[in-house]
Amino acid sequence: MLSNTCRTSVQALRVGGRHVSRGLKTKSSSADAAQAAAAVKGTDNGDTMRPLYLDAQATTPLDPRVLDTMMPFTVGYYGNPHSRTHAYGWETEKAVEEARKEVADIIGADPREIVFTSGATESNNISVKGVGRFYKSKKKHVITTQIEHKCVLDSCRALEGEGFDVTYLPVKPNGIIELEKLEAAIRPDTSLVSIMTVNNEIGVSQPIKEIGEMCRSKKVFFHTDAAQAIGKIPLDVNDMKIDLMSISGHKIYGPKGVGALYIRRRPRVRIEALQSGGGQERGMRSGTVPAPLAVGLGAACRISQQEMEYDHERITALSERLINKIMNALPQVVRNGDSEQTYPGCVNLSFAYVEGESLLMALKDIALSSGSACTSASLEPSYVLRAIGADEDLAHSSIRFGIGRFTTEEEVDYTAEKTIKHVTALREMSPLWEMVQEGIDLKNIKWSQH
């Protein structure tokens, strides 16, 4: 039996649909889910309302339909999916395998090529370190870019400490790599190229298909971190010649603590496992697969696949609305990253002569970010913005607006109006802004220290 507290929270989030032994393929619509999510989003927390949420690149709210699918596997169907001697194990194993197929379907893969992990960070570590170490006797060169997620960059640095040679490709000012430089960097001893699909800070989308075809022609494995792309843009691992792909649950309205790694079977990709244990997931990721989380990831992939076109069209409209409102009202606003080859839900803007942290504090009733949640503890300017050539002042003045499935038009309008108001106020307090308004070129001023 559920406790009263648990039952109340489930009822608040439920959007319809009936429980069956698999748990639940609900027939509820995205509109129902949005209504339920809005009810939770607007919940009073003490005496103050929670801020609006526009940080979808950091994480996304759990879709109520996903929770609906997960719940039976947390309270009723709680068997270990690796228990082969009784019904408790069989029923959860069946649900996990159905979820594996749902993850595979969204990227055009075979279910046997999907390995459940704790998230994209672990998937990235397994890909970079696992491939590198397995083929190190013949190949000890890895290629990545300067704007990858920190876990990929740190994994590459770990390999450097083991004697590997790593090439960190620069990107153009729009954030896109140059294919010619990639081709020139590939060597006979290159084992892996790791380039993310959609950047988590500036939203640019790399030419994944062209990269995959180049790597296949050179007999080099291609890994892509697709945490910010899965379920948002169409991906096909066979058409794009992708050999390894990292997936995160909580970036597609699924649960936190679960992800997946696609590992190609033909031509076969071999990896060295990072942890020892019971040999689950075909020995590539030992540890009990958390059935409720895996089922949740599968449901999130299924819903995202069904609603991808609708979500993309709606998020594009909201993104354009936000950008146009802000840029039409404020001068000297720069959009970071390519404006065309991008995922519209990630909008990174720099406001000249405004300190990003000051703007975030002024916009305290809106949940925003000045960059990646994984590196936000650092006061250094974003390494991604520095890599695309942004001035340090502009890099410090950037704000990332993350628009998602449950973002409303009213929230976008409110955010734009508040941003315009506070940027104007902060600039009025800035002596540098005043000097610029008087026509003074700040770059030609020789500043003296006292």
Side-chain angles (χ1 to χ4, degrees):
M1 295 292 290
L2 292 173
S3 68
N4 289 336
T5 302
C6 182
R7 187 182 296 109
T8 300
S9 64
V10 173
Q11 288 171 345
L13 284 167
R14 277 190 55 101
V15 294
R18 56 192 180 83
H19 291 177
V20 293
S21 61
R22 154 65 171 96
L24 330 164
K25 301 243 181 173
T26 71
K27 295 183 179 179
S28 48
S29 68
S30 59
D32 294 330
Q35 186 177 7
V40 176
K41 183 163 56 175
T43 300
D44 211 3
N45 184 12
D47 295 326
T48 58
M49 292 291 288
R50 303 183 74 193
L52 303 182
Y53 190 77
L54 263 81
D55 199 14
Q57 277 66 54
T59 192
T60 56
L62 185 69
D63 190 303
R65 294 166 292 178
V66 173
L67 178 62
D68 213 25
T69 306
M70 294 171 59
M71 282 304 296
F73 297 94
T74 63
V75 293
Y77 301 99
Y78 49 80
N80 186 322
H82 311 294
S83 296
R84 301 295 175 83
T85 58
H86 51 70
Y88 286 86
W90 302 334
E91 62 197 10
T92 51
E93 181 187 27
K94 179 182 178 183
V96 166
E97 292 310 309
E98 285 193 36
R100 197 186 304 276
K101 183 179 185 303
E102 289 171 331
V103 176
D105 286 347
I106 200 171
I107 58 173
D110 186 310
R112 294 173 296 175
E113 298 174 310
I114 301 298
V115 173
F116 285 113
T117 67
S118 63
T121 290
E122 183 182 3
S123 297
N124 287 337
N125 272 264
I126 293 173
S127 298
V128 176
K129 295 174 184 174
V131 170
R133 289 169 180 169
F134 189 89
Y135 296 96
K136 65 182 178 181
S137 62
K138 296 181 179 179
K139 297 184 174 185
K140 297 195 73 171
H141 179 233
V142 172
I143 299 173
T144 189
T145 76
Q146 296 175 2
I147 64 169
E148 295 300 303
H149 191 277
K150 195 172 185 296
C151 65
V152 170
L153 296 176
D154 283 356
S155 293
C156 288
R157 292 189 186 103
L159 290 183
E160 285 183 297
E162 298 172 17
F164 284 76
D165 189 11
V166 179
T167 298
Y168 299 92
L169 291 175
V171 293
K172 295 182 288 187
N174 65 356
I176 309 296
I177 70 159
E178 293 185 59
L179 292 171
E180 296 79 10
K181 289 187 177 179
L182 171 60
E183 186 172 20
I186 295 176
R187 310 185 324 208
D189 65 336
T190 303
S191 61
L192 182 73
V193 170
S194 179
I195 297 176
M196 71 198 321
T197 309
V198 171
N199 185 266
N200 55 301
E201 288 197 35
I202 57 177
V204 295
S205 181
Q206 300 294 347
I208 295 300
K209 184 174 182 179
E210 290 82 354
I211 296 170
E213 289 173 347
M214 181 184 297
C215 291
R216 183 65 58 83
S217 69
K218 303 283 186 180
K219 293 182 170 53
V220 174
F221 292 129
F222 173 40
H223 163 252
T224 187
D225 174 2
Q228 298 289 346
I230 191 78
K232 299 170 185 176
I233 61 174
L235 296 172
D236 188 304
V237 291
N238 293 307
D239 181 56
M240 296 177 168
K241 307 292 191 294
I242 296 168
D243 298 305
L244 303 103
M245 176 187 285
S246 300
I247 297 168
S248 173
H250 73 105
K251 300 296 170 70
I252 55 168
Y253 312 94
K256 294 174 178 62
V258 67
L261 174 60
Y262 159 76
I263 305 178
R264 180 174 291 281
R265 288 170 62 87
R266 291 185 179 86
R268 187 179 182 187
V269 180
R270 305 290 297 276
I271 64 165
E272 181 178 300
L274 300 192
Q275 63 187 41
S276 304
Q280 292 90 345
E281 298 298 277
R282 301 187 302 285
M284 289 182 274
R285 203 279 184 182
S286 290
T288 301
V289 173
L293 299 182
V295 166
L297 175 59
C301 288
R302 169 171 46 82
I303 293 168
S304 293
Q305 186 173 19
Q306 292 168 349
E307 302 182 357
M308 190 185 304
E309 186 177 348
Y310 171 80
D311 280 351
H312 196 276
E313 182 179 331
R314 183 174 172 278
I315 289 171
T316 298
L318 292 176
S319 174
E320 291 174 354
R321 187 180 183 92
L322 177 71
I323 294 169
N324 290 337
K325 278 182 174 289
I326 291 175
M327 289 194 161
N328 288 339
L330 294 172
Q332 300 205 39
V333 178
V334 177
R335 181 173 186 182
N336 297 302
D338 193 275
S339 60
E340 299 296 328
Q341 200 169 325
T342 188
Y343 171 65
C346 181
V347 179
N348 192 302
L349 302 178
S350 287
F351 301 89
Y353 311 106
V354 172
E355 183 67 37
E357 297 299 325
S358 299
L359 182 55
L360 281 179
M361 291 177 65
L363 295 169
K364 59 182 180 294
D365 55 347
I366 307 168
L368 296 164
S369 173
S370 58
S372 170
C374 302
T375 56
S376 60
S378 171
L379 294 179
E380 292 296 313
S382 161
Y383 68 86
V384 173
L385 297 184
R386 296 298 298 274
I388 65 174
D391 291 338
E392 186 164 340
D393 290 343
L394 277 179
H396 271 298
S397 72
S398 72
I399 298 291
R400 184 183 65 184
F401 301 84
I403 300 170
R405 177 180 295 164
F406 302 120
T407 306
T408 66
E409 196 172 276
E410 291 77 14
E411 289 175 329
V412 166
D413 289 346
Y414 181 85
T415 300
E417 290 163 9
K418 284 287 186 177
T419 301
I420 293 165
K421 174 185 174 181
H422 289 299
V423 168
T424 301
L426 289 168
R427 282 176 171 174
E428 287 175 353
M429 293 186 289
S430 169
L432 295 179
W433 177 251
E434 184 178 346
M435 294 168 70
V436 169
Q437 296 304 104
E438 294 173 355
I440 299 173
D441 187 353
L442 299 181
K443 292 184 179 179
N444 292 329
I445 295 179
K446 293 183 179 180
W447 305 95
S448 61
Q449 294 182 345
H450 297 282

